[in-house]
Amino acid sequence: MNRRLALVTGASAGIGAAFARIYASHGYDVALTARRAEHLGRLAEEIRLRFGVETLTVPADLAEPSAPAAILEDLAANGRAVDVLVNNAGYGLPGAFAETRWEDQARFLQVLLHAPTELAHRVLPGMVDRRFGRIVNVASLAGLIPGGAGHTLYGAVKSYLVRFSQSLHLENQQTGVHVTALCPGFTYSEFHDVNGTREMAHKATPDWLWSGADEVAAAGYEAAEANRPISVPGAPNKTIAAVAKLIPDDWALALMAWQGPRMRKL
């Protein structure tokens, strides 16, 4: 194969689907993975017809510990290696930590922390050998600001992805592999549909804080090409991230506490 391959997790909709289209528009073949096989099939056909690239679909549930290895084995069986990895799969788990089931939190950690880390670890050696690679870890603005009440592990995991990406970025400066943590804020996608908080999120958040999935994915693509370790799409989100660095921790926590009753519901 002459074309490089981009693997996108959580590719069936939203930011993942937008990433798949962007990489296809730049001449990459794309491998799409998510739980919903029917959605993947429709997107794969759209991309193949629109951009003339090869599309592969690998339905998988990243909550299963065996999924990362199985996805890559499926691609290898088709003679393909991953040149671009977009770790996008994710969701939110509403509520206070003590009010949730550990089984749900464990699945959350598997999807948002263990799976992206394992996928990166498995594809990175090949990228280094080929002297080319792109890893985009879709983190969040929540990973750059203090933790708040509700969605207890979300900000913590996204902060991990930011630090993980920074370390990989530094380790691979001379390898041809670019690593970026993409940190969007509120984004129009299926994220809030999955946990049933879309209406509440829109009522609680002004329109100017929301970005489109295409806009977010484009920012991630550009940052990865430029080899920037962190990308925060949108001027409002950049401002929030900058202010969070400047104000004292106790002030920031007081602000998050003031926001707490609303955020615990989202």
Side-chain angles (χ1 to χ4, degrees):
M1 287 289 179
N2 293 325
R3 289 189 297 265
R4 293 183 168 120
L5 179 71
L7 169 63
V8 183
T9 72
S12 59
I15 295 173
F19 261 115
R21 294 186 183 101
I22 284 177
Y23 275 102
S25 74
H26 286 87
Y28 287 81
D29 293 336
V30 292
L32 312 173
T33 186
R35 291 178 301 167
R36 298 178 294 183
E38 184 178 345
H39 286 68
L40 291 179
R42 287 199 296 266
L43 178 60
E45 182 70 1
E46 174 209 319
I47 289 174
R48 183 182 65 80
L49 294 175
R50 182 177 174 186
F51 300 108
V53 300
E54 181 182 5
T55 56
L56 300 92
T57 60
V58 189
D61 185 354
L62 290 177
E64 298 296 330
S66 61
I71 291 167
L72 297 177
E73 288 167 4
D74 189 289
L75 296 179
N78 283 278
R80 304 308 301 267
V82 174
D83 299 292
V84 173
L85 170 64
V86 180
N87 277 318
N88 167 73
Y91 59 97
L93 192 58
F97 192 63
E99 298 168 0
T100 61
R101 300 189 316 152
W102 173 247
E103 292 80 5
D104 294 333
Q105 296 290 359
R107 287 175 62 85
F108 178 88
L109 289 171
Q110 177 61 38
V111 173
L112 277 82
L113 190 151
H114 293 288
T117 305
E118 180 178 350
L119 284 168
H121 189 266
R122 287 181 178 275
V123 303
L124 183 58
M127 292 178 175
V128 172
D129 287 345
R130 294 187 297 275
R131 308 294 297 178
F132 180 90
R134 305 286 186 266
I135 297 176
V136 180
N137 292 315
V138 179
S140 171
L141 182 62
L144 300 174
I145 62 177
H151 289 273
T152 318
L153 296 184
Y154 188 82
V157 167
K158 295 303 185 177
S159 180
Y160 163 83
L161 285 176
V162 171
R163 300 294 179 254
F164 175 52
S165 301
Q166 289 175 318
S167 294
L168 284 186
H169 168 82
L170 292 174
E171 291 174 7
N172 289 280
Q173 289 192 9
Q174 307 302 320
T175 68
V177 179
H178 298 180
V179 184
T180 295
L182 177 62
C183 301
F186 288 100
T187 304
Y188 293 112
S189 68
E190 292 188 351
F191 179 90
H192 292 97
D193 294 328
V194 172
N195 58 32
T197 60
R198 173 175 289 278
E199 183 178 356
M200 190 178 300
H202 279 279
K203 286 181 178 179
T205 313
D207 290 343
W208 53 268
L209 272 178
W210 289 81
S211 301
D214 291 342
E215 174 189 356
V216 169
Y221 174 84
E222 292 167 3
E225 288 305 297
N227 201 18
R228 296 197 297 272
I230 298 178
S231 172
V232 182
N237 295 323
K238 286 182 172 63
T239 301
I240 292 170
V243 170
K245 289 182 179 181
L246 296 175
I247 63 176
D249 286 348
D250 54 347
W251 293 13
L253 285 173
L255 177 60
M256 297 306 292
W258 175 72
Q259 291 275 16
R262 181 177 70 176
M263 298 307 294
R264 282 187 63 165
K265 298 175 183 178
L266 296 182

